[in-house]
Amino acid sequence: MSELLDLAGIFVFALSGALMGVRKRLDAVGMGVLAGMTALGGGVVRDLILNVRPIAFQSLGYVLVPIAATVIVFFFHPHVARVMPAILVLDAAGLGLFCAVGTEKAMAYGLSPLHSALLGVTTAVGGGMLRDVLAGEIPTLLYDRQLYAVPALLGSAAMAGLSSYGWHGWPATLAAALLAFGLRIAAMRYKWRAPLARGVSE
């Protein structure tokens, strides 16, 4: 079940990466690279920091899903772009899931709650950051005007706190994931924005 949820999140992230490739007028290879980086980059970075073999290299599904997302966007990108609001909701769900799972894995490998939370954020937004760098955009992590990294940070902090007090397994993961998901949805709904430096206008 957990792998199916992982693959669902990877699929949604890969769609956003491939769509970025369309907007940047990249070819099929470029679209595939952005899709793969968006979907798998955060998890790979997390596993490398934990000094374990990345899970993306242990299952064929983790490679095939971004390829499938790229093919869908390649042929049907106008239709995919049309349902972007629904994709953003699924993306928020993937954000919540990945930040919680990433934090829990880091805690299981003995990292402190603070470092685990930071690694959870890396899992959730690292792929998008790599996508933005490759596409020549300011990474969301550095310009969080749509409150993307902040919900991931709070969800990761919640997961680390729950784990510290002995709450493990799917109830804790679900609670942290729902917190990040809810904050991300609320940010999109009410157009919440992170503040700029004092005196700097929009």
Side-chain angles (χ1 to χ4, degrees), residues 40-52:
L40 305 174
V44 169
V45 171
R46 174 203 64 210
D47 290 343
L48 291 176
I49 292 174
L50 293 176
N51 198 29
V52 298

Side-chain angles (χ1 to χ4, degrees), residues 1-25:
M1 184 63 179
S2 61
E3 184 171 341
L4 287 178
L5 290 174
D6 261 358
L7 293 176
I10 285 169
F11 179 73
V12 175
F13 282 3
L15 286 178
S16 70
L19 282 172
M20 173 73 81
V22 173
R23 289 196 296 270
K24 290 293 183 177
R25 302 181 62 83

Side-chain angles (χ1 to χ4, degrees), residues 45-189:
V45 171
R46 174 203 64 210
D47 290 343
L48 291 176
I49 292 174
L50 293 176
N51 198 29
V52 298
R53 185 171 63 174
I55 192 170
F57 294 94
Q58 299 181 43
S59 172
L60 190 60
Y62 286 80
V63 177
L64 294 181
V65 167
I67 293 174
T70 302
V71 171
I72 290 171
V73 173
F74 183 85
F75 287 105
F76 306 108
H77 60 87
H79 305 289
V80 176
R82 199 172 299 129
V83 297
M84 198 62 194
I87 292 176
L88 287 175
V89 173
L90 294 175
D91 181 84
L95 179 80
L97 174 67
F98 281 19
C99 75
V101 170
T103 303
E104 184 178 38
K105 186 169 184 177
M107 291 287 288
Y109 275 82
L111 269 66
S112 70
L114 175 60
H115 291 104
S116 295
L118 293 176
L119 205 50
V121 175
T122 300
T123 306
V125 307
M129 186 169 67
L130 292 173
R131 174 202 63 206
D132 292 342
V133 169
L134 289 174
E137 299 283 333
I138 298 176
T140 303
L141 189 65
L142 303 181
Y143 190 65
D144 200 21
R145 300 294 289 140
Q146 295 184 343
L147 285 192
Y148 196 79
V150 170
L153 178 60
L154 294 176
S156 296
M159 186 71 226
L162 290 172
S163 294
S164 297
Y165 284 97
W167 287 51
H168 303 287
W170 70 264
T173 302
L174 180 62
L178 284 175
L179 174 62
F181 172 76
L183 289 172
R184 174 61 180 151
I185 292 296
M188 291 191 293
R189 173 67 176 82

Side-chain angles (χ1 to χ4, degrees), residues 21 25-32 74:
R25 302 181 62 83
L26 301 181
D27 60 21
V29 175
M31 290 171 58
F74 183 85

